[in-house]
Amino acid sequence: HVLHMINRFSNVPEKFKHTNPMKDKFYPTYEYHEAWHHHMKVVSTHIEYLFSRGTVLYQILENSQVVYYPEESVPEIKFRFDMSPMSVNLTKEGRRWYEYLTSLLAIIGGTYTTLGLINATLLRIFKPKKI
């Protein structure tokens, strides 16, 4: 039986623990001629806030599987990194006061219109019939 554990990758800073999904996981094999293959998609994330310098992180999406080898082959653990051509850009932008005012007026107008439709429908349904 063979067991391996991944403590950390040297390219992932320790303070970004969420970017290393393999940290402290065990990968055992129970039979001969088995080995783990780890495929990792690396996605760059650019974070920019209003008054700070941009920060670049690398998030890792991990997929691991056991591979069975023929008897004449020597099993080996493989790590395959795939750099994603896409990146995530996070920015924080403030809202102007008139955007809040427009949203508030839209909510008030929508409520007024909806209540008017409900009122007209109820009046039509429960209107007393003339004989």
Side-chain angles (χ1 to χ4, degrees):
H1 302 291
V2 177
L3 172 71
H4 71 275
M5 182 177 87
I6 300 167
N7 292 322
R8 70 180 183 91
F9 292 112
S10 61
N11 60 344
V12 177
E14 189 62 31
K15 66 181 178 177
F16 303 118
K17 293 180 181 178
H18 65 279
T19 62
N20 187 0
M22 301 177 79
K23 181 176 173 54
D24 297 330
K25 286 189 179 176
F26 292 98
Y27 298 93
T29 57
Y30 299 105
E31 302 293 330
Y32 293 111
H33 301 287
E34 291 180 347
W36 283 89
H37 287 194
H38 305 284
H39 303 275
M40 282 146 302
K41 171 80 80 175
V42 181
V43 180
S44 64
T45 303
H46 304 270
I47 301 174
E48 296 177 16
Y49 290 111
L50 289 175
F51 302 108
S52 68
R53 293 186 342 190
T55 304
V56 178
L57 308 175
Y58 294 98
Q59 298 185 49
I60 299 174
L61 306 171
E62 175 256 342
N63 182 12
S64 298
Q65 61 188 12
V66 174
V67 176
Y68 300 95
Y69 285 85
E71 283 192 29
E72 61 274 358
S73 298
V74 177
E76 56 188 6
I77 299 171
K78 288 186 180 179
F79 293 91
R80 182 171 297 159
F81 289 90
D82 180 20
M83 299 299 288
S84 175
M86 306 290 283
S87 67
V88 177
N89 292 320
L90 296 175
T91 58
K92 183 176 181 182
E93 297 178 0
R95 293 181 75 178
R96 303 278 185 196
W97 65 270
Y98 53 81
E99 292 178 10
Y100 288 109
L101 181 62
T102 304
S103 297
L104 179 64
L105 291 176
I107 291 170
I108 292 171
T111 303
Y112 179 77
T113 302
T114 303
L115 291 177
L117 290 171
I118 292 172
N119 184 33
T121 304
L122 291 176
L123 284 176
R124 186 170 290 214
I125 292 173
F126 295 112
K127 183 178 179 183
K129 296 182 181 182
K130 295 180 184 178
I131 301 177

